[in-house]
Each structure stands twice: as structure tokens, then as C-alpha cells.
Amino acid sequence: MNSSQAPRAGARALFRPQLIALAAAALCGAAFAQEATKPAAKPGAEAPEVKELEAVVVTGTARREGVRKLEAGFSITTATEEQIKQAAPTSTADILKTVPGVFVESTGGQSNANIRVRGFPTPGDGPYSTFQQNGAPLYALPALSFLEHSQLFRLDDTIERMEVLRGGPSPIFGSGQPGVTVNFIQKDGRNPEGSLRVTTGTGDLKRVDGVYAGPLSDKWTVMVGGFWRQSQGLRDTQFPADDGGQLSLVLNRKLDDGNLQLYARALNDRNAFYTAIPVVGSADGKSVSSYPGFDASTAYFYGNELRNIVLETGRATGRTLPNGKPEILRSTVTKDLAEGRGATVQTFGANLDTRLGDWTLTNKLGHTGGDVPTYALFSGANPQTLGSYIASQVTAANGDAGVVAAAGRAATGGTATFTNGGGAITNMAMPVIVNGMWAVDKTLRSTTNETRLSKEIAPGNNLTVGLYLAGYSSHDVWTLGQAQLMTVQPHARLIDVALDNGVKASRNGYVTPPFSFDLDASYSGDTRAFFIADEWQLTKALRVDLGARRETQHITGSIANVSNGDLDNDPTTLYNNNLAYFNGSNTLIDSKLSRNSFTGGANYAFSRELSAFVRVNKGHRMPDFDVLRGRSANEAKAPVEDISQYEIGLKTATKLYSAFLTAYANKLTNSQTQQFTNAGNVVLRPNSKATGLEFELALRPGMGFEIAATGNFQDAKYEDFQQYSGNRVERAPKFQARLTPSWQTQTAYGQLRTFATFSHVGERFADQTNTLKLPAYQTIDAGAVFTMDSGLEIRLTGTNLSNKVGLTEGNFRVPGQAVGQDGVFLARPLFGRAYELSVGFQF
């Protein structure tokens, strides 16, 4: 089980020059493109009122031509390429901060976001969010342990627009996601353009983006683009926190009565992953500040001393030792924390849109495969003094008769030294912390195909029938729970502890972990779903639609069983006396489940600029591999989550203003949640309900000014859920909002646009116990972009300009843990003040 970093490092070394060459090729290609003789109009540069009134969305619609955003009988948020850039997202998932009803925690880095939708309960990841590329899911299941979809995708200049569907008809189409579907639609060359830009910024950021899109012949167009980026990160790690890039290719062919699109994308990126750090809460619980010597905005435990981890594991040989214990063949797992929570994946797809007589045929095929590891520090319990930690080890050693017998006597005390030089530690009041060092390897495969046939069966009545097929797998190898004792400071130092009777409480900083869990599992699954939808324009103003879906899922798997024991058969080495090892037996999974979903809605257009809709849907969330793994053998209830949603909305847009309002209510039954805590894997089955109001507003008084506001009022609570009934759903703010004023003007040299965003996130509770309250916080972002008539573009953005210490989660590893001594507790804060400057050329 020893691992090597060489293959990934070699791949990156090959990947980087390819991306730089790509940018140069894009620049040269433009010189020979006929359409490039005159700069094309920049996407999204049309007047805002035109975008609002005429924007056509395709996500969540049965018709191949899509539907005007104002006429859609559901809630959908759209963003152009420019709007995505203006939001200055720190990661792919972070762009969802612009979507009302969605609360995204993107403080873990480029990957590992926690995405919450309309008060749906989840301790982490994004089980109610599905990311699509050109209409095809990146992975058939919405989430797995240590994986959410944004880990498989990076934002770059190849994206034409984003569409985010919330609720609505989503349980019927595609993968049947009842929460939020995020569809990134790439450029395909039908609108010729090209650009090359370089970016620098906080964390010694170096980034190159390039894209070229244009014709190959009278029927073929192409888009090729990507990026390469290296950065020390928004937290100081002493090593590159983000390193890698992405390549994309899209080929598009115009057919006699339709279109064929082929696309491919290769992502090779590694990203440091951050968890909770110590902070200090105020006496009234309404604010937080940095722990002494540990800047909450920029500091982290990572450093060169912690970077490379070596974890112990083993497999039983089947033989028994003379002392009656099983013989264990020991091995080690070596990982680099700089690899973090990255991805080396390839995505391929083909979209066909044509006619077969009176029928319209659309087919979306997508495939994703590759490796998505997580090597990271996972926070432990609150800090304590070194003296109290040594005392706890004395108590633990003396409480084990085997340890005392092997040592010859009980311990009365102990000593500590820095692991990597520095000598003995005499300050027993020095704060220390036990943090987990975890390694997760996942190899994923997913192939999805959605076929739709549509026909107008009567004037104004369109019938759609479809078939969704998916096959997917995952091979997981985990080593979880092993922990190291370290100082509470940036670039933490490791500590070794020895007791005065010869017992070794640690090895190279590794100490007795709170829990230990290993996994070696292979899973595979397939999903088949048939759906039917009917849309009827009853009158010029009234359109109704109905849809139903029958889905069947079959999952199988093999899991190597684990026992805990003394890996080296030496009781005096406390640190590995109770570690996990594979005992030679296996557990098999074989689950087959079916469920029905439906939706019904109506949209009434009072005028071309004003409409209202109502919607009801009933969907479900089928179990994923980890839900089935964590399910108790005696659970009688099927691990399927049922979700009911009700919506009523109002949409209006004119030259002066636009308003999109959606009131919603939902009820979730038998939610499937689990989290690895210091007590091991905790499996919960909560029920909940929520009501809320989402809003997207914009006012355009003229003279280039616009004021936009988005947000959500929400009340989400648990019900019929053990002792937690009536508690607020964890980490779901009652109110969040973004206010974005902007101004643009035309100068003698080009267009200047300035903007700022004021964000508010209301208070939340850290977990279902509602013990620790996370205070409300406000942030300020701002930026400016100057697009010259020559094609040169200069863009400057700043995020969290007030350097606010806002918390997105508490101590995930210890649910119910309150504030400790002197107001100290563990939480994951926002990234501090950061800037980016990019200079680009458009052609």
C-alpha cells in the first residue's frame, strides 16, 4: 500500500507546457480566422434588460429549443461569463453564492465545498447538488464521502454561461436531482472569439488562461482552451497549495436539421484542503477573533514539517501469534498533503439534436473517469495544555493491564520533545492539539446517457418521453483517524511524548487516535429511469406541464472488513495499540430499489414582461455507496429519502427593473446523513421541513448604474428526529443576501465597469444539537474591469476587503462541543483579504 507521488508529478510536468502551448496556439489561430479580422462583440455585453427579457434557458426544460427565462415555470438562476468573473469566485462551488436559496461553504479550498439547498439537512459535501457539463452529469451520484461534484470541474474562460435550476421539474429529468442542478455550458465556436490572459494575486498566484473559438469549415466549429495555475494559496502552507490546470476541446457540427457536439476535458489539479482552526468567541457569542498567534484569515497548521505523512496499517495473515493475537502483516501509507483534495479526471461527451420525421430527438452522453484523492489534516478536539495531554496518556497507559505488565510498572508522569529538533519541552502550559492525518484514494468511473423524443401531438401540446441510463463505480482505499500531536501555531511543530516507565506514547508525532478506520472497497451501480412529460399551451397566457419518472437503481459492492488491534504486538507503543487493520473477511452489498417521481406546474403570462408560476414536485434521493456501507444490518426501512416541494413564483423584467421571487416549502423524510467524527462514523436519519422566500432583484435607473440584490429568507427545522426535533437544521442561515451596485461607462479608450458586493450571512448552529452558534457576518468585495477598444482588458478584483473573520462551520469532528476555556473553539473561517489582477487580450 505504499504510494508514490511520481506519476502525478510527472503528469503535471507534461500538462503545464501543453497549456502554455495551447494559449500560444489560440493566439496564432486567431490571426488566420476570417472572423477574427474584427473583434467580436463580447459575450454578455448586451444591455441588461435584453438579457433579462430574452434569455433562453435549456436546463430543466423538455423542449430542445429551451424556454425564455421569464416564461419558465420554475426557479432558475443564470450567469454569463462576465457575471461569473465579476462574482470573483474563489472556487467552482463558490460561484453558487450568487444563487438564492443556496448556501455554499467554500472555505476548504479549491475543492471540498459544503453546498446547502433550501434548508435540506446535510452535515457536509453536496448530496443535493449535481454539476453538469453541457447538460450531462459529471458523476451519476450527487455525492460520496470525500467527494462533491465541484471537485471534478474548474472555472475557466471556456465557459459561455451557467444555469442553476432549483427544485422545479428537476426530479424528472437527467439524474433526477431534487435539490439544485448546476449546468456549465461551454463555448462551441459558433460565436467566434479568442482571448489570452495572465493573472496574479494574493498567495503568489500565477495563472494563464487561453481560449480560441471559431469555424473549421462551413459546418464545423471548434473551441479549444484551458488554464494553468500555481499558487501558495490563501492560507500560508509553505508549499504550493494549488498547482495544475485544465484543457478543453469542443467540436460542433451543423446538421441539416439539428446539431452534433463532441467535447472532451482533462483536469489535472492538486489543491490543499483546509479544516477548522482555533478561534476565540466573544463573551456574547456574536463575534469571533483570531486565536493568539494564529491569524484566522491567513494561517494554518500546514507547513513543511507536516507535509509528508506516513500512516500505519496492515492485513491479517490468518495465522495466530503465541500470545493468541492475530499476526498482522504491517505496511505504511505515504502521502503528500500538498496533493490535498485534487483531481486527475477526464470528461468526454456527445450531444445530438436532430429531427426524426415529426419527432425531435436529443441525446446527451457523458463519461467521467479518474482519481480524486483527499490527503489532509482533519481537526480534532479543542486545544489543551501539554501537561493535561501527558496526564491523559498516563491514565490511559495505567488503565491497561497489558501495558503496565509489559512496562514492569505503572507510569507516574512523562516528558515531551519536539519531534524534528529543538530538544525537550519544559512548558507544561503550552497549548497543544491532536489533529487527524487522513488519506483517501478514490478511482471513479461514470457514464450517463439521456435520450428524449418530443412531438407536438396537438396544437400547443408537446409530449416528451425519455430514457436515462447510468453506470458508475468507485474503488476506495482509506486510512482514517490516525492523529498527530502538535503545537497550536501556524506551521505547527510535532511533539513526541514518552512516559517515565518506558512506554512510548507517540512516534514521530503520531499518538493514540480518537478512532481508527480503514477501508478497501469496490462498488458499482447502474440506474435506469423512464420519464414522460407533457407541456400544453392552453391559452396564449397559460401553459401547464406534468411529468412522471420511474427510476430503478442497482448497487453491488465488496468491502474488506476491519478489526482494531496492536499492529506491532508491543503493548508499550501506545500509538498503534488500537489501529485498524484488514482482518481477511469481506462484506457484500447488493441493493435494488425503485421509486416514482412526479412534477406539475403552471405558468401564467400577464404580459411579455410579467408572469407567475406554481409548482409541486415529489422526488427522492437514492442511496449512494457510502449510505449503503454505513447502514446498519438491522435497519428495516429502505435507505431512500423522500422529498416533497411546493413553489409559487413571480417574474418580471423591464428596462428599469427586474424581479424574480419564489416562495417555497419542502419536507424531507428519512434523510441519509453520516459523518466521521472523533467517535467514528455517525449515521443519522433526520426528517425536516423548511419554508422560505428567494429573491433576485435589479434596478437600472440609467446612466450606466445598476443595483442588484439576491438572497433568501428561510426557516428550516428538524421534526420527528430523536431529541433534536424542533432544532434548526445545522448551518442553514435564516437570512442571507448580496447587494451589488455597479456602474459602467464608455470612455475614449473603451468601456469601464466598476462593481462592489456587500454580503450578509445570518447566524447558524454548528450541528443538529444547536449547541454552538456561529455568528452572523458581513463581507465586502469590489472590482473594476477596463475593456479597451483595442481588445486589451485589465481586471482587478478584491474579496473580503474588510478582512472579516466569519465562520462557515464549527468543529465537525466533535458534534455538540461548545466553546472551551477562554472562549476558544475550533471552526473554519473565511479566507482573508485577497486581490487578483489579470491582463488579457481579446481577439
Side-chain angles (χ1 to χ4, degrees), residues 687-706:
N687 305 309
S688 66
K689 60 180 179 181
T691 57
L693 174 66
E694 301 166 346
F695 58 89
E696 293 181 82
L697 312 171
L699 178 65
R700 293 175 284 269
M703 302 295 291
F705 288 97
E706 181 182 64

PDB file of all heavy atoms in Angstrom, residues 687-706:
ATOM      1  N   ASN A 687     -35.547  13.819   9.756  1.00  0.00           N
ATOM      2  CA  ASN A 687     -36.659  14.353   8.980  1.00  0.00           C
ATOM      3  C   ASN A 687     -36.658  15.859   9.193  1.00  0.00           C
ATOM      4  O   ASN A 687     -36.270  16.347  10.261  1.00  0.00           O
ATOM      5  CB  ASN A 687     -37.994  13.765   9.439  1.00  0.00           C
ATOM      6  CG  ASN A 687     -38.004  12.252   9.401  1.00  0.00           C
ATOM      7  OD1 ASN A 687     -37.660  11.659   8.385  1.00  0.00           O
ATOM      8  ND2 ASN A 687     -38.375  11.625  10.508  1.00  0.00           N
ATOM      9  N   SER A 688     -37.105  16.612   8.201  1.00  0.00           N
ATOM     10  CA  SER A 688     -37.058  18.065   8.334  1.00  0.00           C
ATOM     11  C   SER A 688     -38.123  18.702   7.449  1.00  0.00           C
ATOM     12  O   SER A 688     -38.678  18.068   6.543  1.00  0.00           O
ATOM     13  CB  SER A 688     -35.675  18.601   7.948  1.00  0.00           C
ATOM     14  OG  SER A 688     -35.429  18.376   6.568  1.00  0.00           O
ATOM     15  N   LYS A 689     -38.349  19.979   7.706  1.00  0.00           N
ATOM     16  CA  LYS A 689     -39.226  20.780   6.842  1.00  0.00           C
ATOM     17  C   LYS A 689     -38.682  22.202   6.819  1.00  0.00           C
ATOM     18  O   LYS A 689     -38.025  22.654   7.759  1.00  0.00           O
ATOM     19  CB  LYS A 689     -40.669  20.759   7.333  1.00  0.00           C
ATOM     20  CG  LYS A 689     -40.879  21.308   8.728  1.00  0.00           C
ATOM     21  CD  LYS A 689     -42.355  21.228   9.121  1.00  0.00           C
ATOM     22  CE  LYS A 689     -42.581  21.754  10.539  1.00  0.00           C
ATOM     23  NZ  LYS A 689     -44.001  21.671  10.946  1.00  0.00           N
ATOM     24  N   ALA A 690     -38.966  22.905   5.735  1.00  0.00           N
ATOM     25  CA  ALA A 690     -38.465  24.273   5.583  1.00  0.00           C
ATOM     26  C   ALA A 690     -39.438  25.084   4.750  1.00  0.00           C
ATOM     27  O   ALA A 690     -40.126  24.555   3.864  1.00  0.00           O
ATOM     28  CB  ALA A 690     -37.082  24.276   4.929  1.00  0.00           C
ATOM     29  N   THR A 691     -39.500  26.357   5.033  1.00  0.00           N
ATOM     30  CA  THR A 691     -40.211  27.332   4.206  1.00  0.00           C
ATOM     31  C   THR A 691     -39.266  28.486   3.948  1.00  0.00           C
ATOM     32  O   THR A 691     -38.381  28.782   4.765  1.00  0.00           O
ATOM     33  CB  THR A 691     -41.486  27.840   4.890  1.00  0.00           C
ATOM     34  OG1 THR A 691     -41.141  28.405   6.169  1.00  0.00           O
ATOM     35  CG2 THR A 691     -42.485  26.715   5.096  1.00  0.00           C
ATOM     36  N   GLY A 692     -39.446  29.152   2.822  1.00  0.00           N
ATOM     37  CA  GLY A 692     -38.541  30.241   2.512  1.00  0.00           C
ATOM     38  C   GLY A 692     -39.015  31.105   1.366  1.00  0.00           C
ATOM     39  O   GLY A 692     -40.000  30.786   0.673  1.00  0.00           O
ATOM     40  N   LEU A 693     -38.310  32.202   1.167  1.00  0.00           N
ATOM     41  CA  LEU A 693     -38.560  33.122   0.068  1.00  0.00           C
ATOM     42  C   LEU A 693     -37.224  33.513  -0.542  1.00  0.00           C
ATOM     43  O   LEU A 693     -36.363  34.075   0.133  1.00  0.00           O
ATOM     44  CB  LEU A 693     -39.294  34.375   0.557  1.00  0.00           C
ATOM     45  CG  LEU A 693     -39.491  35.473  -0.493  1.00  0.00           C
ATOM     46  CD1 LEU A 693     -40.433  34.999  -1.606  1.00  0.00           C
ATOM     47  CD2 LEU A 693     -40.024  36.752   0.147  1.00  0.00           C
ATOM     48  N   GLU A 694     -37.057  33.203  -1.830  1.00  0.00           N
ATOM     49  CA  GLU A 694     -35.856  33.579  -2.574  1.00  0.00           C
ATOM     50  C   GLU A 694     -36.144  34.825  -3.412  1.00  0.00           C
ATOM     51  O   GLU A 694     -37.262  34.993  -3.915  1.00  0.00           O
ATOM     52  CB  GLU A 694     -35.436  32.450  -3.527  1.00  0.00           C
ATOM     53  CG  GLU A 694     -35.146  31.136  -2.834  1.00  0.00           C
ATOM     54  CD  GLU A 694     -35.072  29.974  -3.793  1.00  0.00           C
ATOM     55  OE1 GLU A 694     -35.508  30.130  -4.958  1.00  0.00           O
ATOM     56  OE2 GLU A 694     -34.593  28.903  -3.392  1.00  0.00           O
ATOM     57  N   PHE A 695     -35.133  35.670  -3.567  1.00  0.00           N
ATOM     58  CA  PHE A 695     -35.340  36.850  -4.393  1.00  0.00           C
ATOM     59  C   PHE A 695     -34.091  37.175  -5.213  1.00  0.00           C
ATOM     60  O   PHE A 695     -32.964  37.009  -4.763  1.00  0.00           O
ATOM     61  CB  PHE A 695     -35.735  38.068  -3.544  1.00  0.00           C
ATOM     62  CG  PHE A 695     -34.743  38.450  -2.475  1.00  0.00           C
ATOM     63  CD1 PHE A 695     -33.692  39.329  -2.738  1.00  0.00           C
ATOM     64  CD2 PHE A 695     -34.855  37.931  -1.181  1.00  0.00           C
ATOM     65  CE1 PHE A 695     -32.796  39.687  -1.753  1.00  0.00           C
ATOM     66  CE2 PHE A 695     -33.952  38.286  -0.187  1.00  0.00           C
ATOM     67  CZ  PHE A 695     -32.916  39.176  -0.475  1.00  0.00           C
ATOM     68  N   GLU A 696     -34.324  37.609  -6.441  1.00  0.00           N
ATOM     69  CA  GLU A 696     -33.317  38.161  -7.340  1.00  0.00           C
ATOM     70  C   GLU A 696     -33.901  39.457  -7.889  1.00  0.00           C
ATOM     71  O   GLU A 696     -34.874  39.438  -8.647  1.00  0.00           O
ATOM     72  CB  GLU A 696     -33.007  37.202  -8.484  1.00  0.00           C
ATOM     73  CG  GLU A 696     -32.331  35.918  -8.075  1.00  0.00           C
ATOM     74  CD  GLU A 696     -32.031  35.037  -9.277  1.00  0.00           C
ATOM     75  OE1 GLU A 696     -31.000  35.282  -9.953  1.00  0.00           O
ATOM     76  OE2 GLU A 696     -32.809  34.122  -9.553  1.00  0.00           O
ATOM     77  N   LEU A 697     -33.310  40.573  -7.524  1.00  0.00           N
ATOM     78  CA  LEU A 697     -33.838  41.885  -7.865  1.00  0.00           C
ATOM     79  C   LEU A 697     -32.768  42.719  -8.553  1.00  0.00           C
ATOM     80  O   LEU A 697     -31.575  42.576  -8.256  1.00  0.00           O
ATOM     81  CB  LEU A 697     -34.324  42.628  -6.609  1.00  0.00           C
ATOM     82  CG  LEU A 697     -35.220  41.846  -5.647  1.00  0.00           C
ATOM     83  CD1 LEU A 697     -35.434  42.642  -4.368  1.00  0.00           C
ATOM     84  CD2 LEU A 697     -36.555  41.518  -6.303  1.00  0.00           C
ATOM     85  N   ALA A 698     -33.191  43.598  -9.438  1.00  0.00           N
ATOM     86  CA  ALA A 698     -32.251  44.517 -10.083  1.00  0.00           C
ATOM     87  C   ALA A 698     -32.982  45.800 -10.439  1.00  0.00           C
ATOM     88  O   ALA A 698     -34.130  45.783 -10.895  1.00  0.00           O
ATOM     89  CB  ALA A 698     -31.638  43.892 -11.330  1.00  0.00           C
ATOM     90  N   LEU A 699     -32.316  46.919 -10.226  1.00  0.00           N
ATOM     91  CA  LEU A 699     -32.828  48.242 -10.566  1.00  0.00           C
ATOM     92  C   LEU A 699     -31.813  48.927 -11.462  1.00  0.00           C
ATOM     93  O   LEU A 699     -30.623  48.990 -11.131  1.00  0.00           O
ATOM     94  CB  LEU A 699     -33.069  49.070  -9.303  1.00  0.00           C
ATOM     95  CG  LEU A 699     -33.554  50.509  -9.502  1.00  0.00           C
ATOM     96  CD1 LEU A 699     -34.940  50.522 -10.136  1.00  0.00           C
ATOM     97  CD2 LEU A 699     -33.559  51.257  -8.173  1.00  0.00           C
ATOM     98  N   ARG A 700     -32.291  49.458 -12.619  1.00  0.00           N
ATOM     99  CA  ARG A 700     -31.409  50.110 -13.586  1.00  0.00           C
ATOM    100  C   ARG A 700     -31.916  51.528 -13.842  1.00  0.00           C
ATOM    101  O   ARG A 700     -32.710  51.774 -14.765  1.00  0.00           O
ATOM    102  CB  ARG A 700     -31.383  49.298 -14.882  1.00  0.00           C
ATOM    103  CG  ARG A 700     -30.730  47.930 -14.746  1.00  0.00           C
ATOM    104  CD  ARG A 700     -30.827  47.111 -16.000  1.00  0.00           C
ATOM    105  NE  ARG A 700     -32.161  46.568 -16.188  1.00  0.00           N
ATOM    106  CZ  ARG A 700     -32.574  45.375 -15.743  1.00  0.00           C
ATOM    107  NH1 ARG A 700     -31.735  44.612 -15.059  1.00  0.00           N
ATOM    108  NH2 ARG A 700     -33.806  44.952 -15.957  1.00  0.00           N
ATOM    109  N   PRO A 701     -31.495  52.477 -13.013  1.00  0.00           N
ATOM    110  CA  PRO A 701     -32.021  53.837 -13.139  1.00  0.00           C
ATOM    111  C   PRO A 701     -31.465  54.611 -14.319  1.00  0.00           C
ATOM    112  O   PRO A 701     -31.931  55.724 -14.602  1.00  0.00           O
ATOM    113  CB  PRO A 701     -31.596  54.480 -11.814  1.00  0.00           C
ATOM    114  CG  PRO A 701     -30.370  53.729 -11.407  1.00  0.00           C
ATOM    115  CD  PRO A 701     -30.569  52.331 -11.882  1.00  0.00           C
ATOM    116  N   GLY A 702     -30.477  54.080 -15.010  1.00  0.00           N
ATOM    117  CA  GLY A 702     -29.901  54.776 -16.148  1.00  0.00           C
ATOM    118  C   GLY A 702     -28.501  55.274 -15.861  1.00  0.00           C
ATOM    119  O   GLY A 702     -27.930  55.049 -14.781  1.00  0.00           O
ATOM    120  N   MET A 703     -27.889  55.915 -16.850  1.00  0.00           N
ATOM    121  CA  MET A 703     -26.537  56.472 -16.713  1.00  0.00           C
ATOM    122  C   MET A 703     -25.512  55.373 -16.401  1.00  0.00           C
ATOM    123  O   MET A 703     -24.470  55.624 -15.804  1.00  0.00           O
ATOM    124  CB  MET A 703     -26.492  57.552 -15.633  1.00  0.00           C
ATOM    125  CG  MET A 703     -27.443  58.711 -15.855  1.00  0.00           C
ATOM    126  SD  MET A 703     -27.011  59.664 -17.324  1.00  0.00           S
ATOM    127  CE  MET A 703     -25.481  60.427 -16.781  1.00  0.00           C
ATOM    128  N   GLY A 704     -25.832  54.122 -16.782  1.00  0.00           N
ATOM    129  CA  GLY A 704     -24.899  53.025 -16.566  1.00  0.00           C
ATOM    130  C   GLY A 704     -24.938  52.406 -15.198  1.00  0.00           C
ATOM    131  O   GLY A 704     -24.141  51.498 -14.898  1.00  0.00           O
ATOM    132  N   PHE A 705     -25.869  52.840 -14.337  1.00  0.00           N
ATOM    133  CA  PHE A 705     -25.947  52.311 -12.976  1.00  0.00           C
ATOM    134  C   PHE A 705     -26.892  51.108 -12.922  1.00  0.00           C
ATOM    135  O   PHE A 705     -27.918  51.064 -13.607  1.00  0.00           O
ATOM    136  CB  PHE A 705     -26.432  53.384 -11.997  1.00  0.00           C
ATOM    137  CG  PHE A 705     -25.426  54.451 -11.709  1.00  0.00           C
ATOM    138  CD1 PHE A 705     -25.461  55.664 -12.385  1.00  0.00           C
ATOM    139  CD2 PHE A 705     -24.427  54.251 -10.762  1.00  0.00           C
ATOM    140  CE1 PHE A 705     -24.529  56.658 -12.128  1.00  0.00           C
ATOM    141  CE2 PHE A 705     -23.486  55.233 -10.499  1.00  0.00           C
ATOM    142  CZ  PHE A 705     -23.537  56.438 -11.186  1.00  0.00           C
ATOM    143  N   GLU A 706     -26.544  50.172 -12.072  1.00  0.00           N
ATOM    144  CA  GLU A 706     -27.422  49.041 -11.762  1.00  0.00           C
ATOM    145  C   GLU A 706     -27.202  48.645 -10.311  1.00  0.00           C
ATOM    146  O   GLU A 706     -26.074  48.662  -9.819  1.00  0.00           O
ATOM    147  CB  GLU A 706     -27.141  47.842 -12.672  1.00  0.00           C
ATOM    148  CG  GLU A 706     -28.051  46.650 -12.380  1.00  0.00           C
ATOM    149  CD  GLU A 706     -27.734  45.439 -13.241  1.00  0.00           C
ATOM    150  OE1 GLU A 706     -26.605  44.903 -13.103  1.00  0.00           O
ATOM    151  OE2 GLU A 706     -28.594  45.035 -14.029  1.00  0.00           O
TER     152      GLU A 706
END
